[in-house]
Amino acid sequence: MKLPDLAFTIAEWSAVPTTEHPGETGMALWRTFSSGDLRVRMVEYTPGYLADHWCDRGHVLLVLDGELETELRDGRTFKLTAGMSYQVSDFGDAAHRSSTRAGCRLFIVD
């Protein structure tokens, strides 16, 4: 990942507006900071959330609270709990989608 030219910047996440992104079930609530090609998000998935798409974008994702289930298109599944992360690139065959039974909060850089 190459960060764009960016001065030292602080994000006060509670002041960043929330946008809603419905899944097949449940809702993803995003607070997003963007600069050039960099996107940093605080994301909350409501209980019962299931993504409505397979994602091919690379991410660094950290679970802050709750439990996240990530499914790869090839059928592998991974359960992440608070303090765990995954890293996936834009390249290769790691299309993935997220779900959660009880809800979770995430910090994502992509």
Side-chain angles (χ1 to χ4, degrees):
M1 173 185 334
K2 174 125 175 74
L3 296 176
D5 288 339
L6 178 66
F8 182 84
T9 304
I10 294 174
E12 176 56 52
W13 291 105
S14 63
V16 176
T18 300
T19 58
E20 295 184 352
H21 304 265
E24 275 187 33
T25 58
M27 185 73 63
L29 307 171
W30 296 10
R31 294 178 188 264
T32 305
F33 169 81
S34 295
S35 178
D37 290 335
L38 173 68
R39 180 173 71 171
V40 181
R41 297 177 286 155
M42 293 288 288
V43 175
E44 179 180 348
Y45 292 153
T46 62
Y49 175 79
L50 171 62
D52 65 350
H53 65 283
W54 291 98
C55 181
D56 289 315
R57 188 169 181 162
H59 312 286
V60 174
L61 177 148
L62 171 66
V63 179
L64 300 172
D65 293 306
E67 188 173 278
L68 175 71
E69 293 183 19
T70 298
E71 176 185 8
L72 301 186
R73 194 177 305 193
D74 68 10
R76 289 180 289 161
T77 60
F78 302 89
K79 187 176 293 188
L80 288 82
T81 57
M84 296 176 73
S85 69
Y86 74 68
Q87 297 69 229
V88 63
S89 77
D90 293 332
F91 305 102
D93 59 352
H96 53 281
R97 68 176 175 177
S98 297
S99 65
T100 181
R101 291 182 184 173
C104 62
R105 283 189 330 118
L106 313 168
F107 182 78
I108 305 170
V109 179
D110 50 24

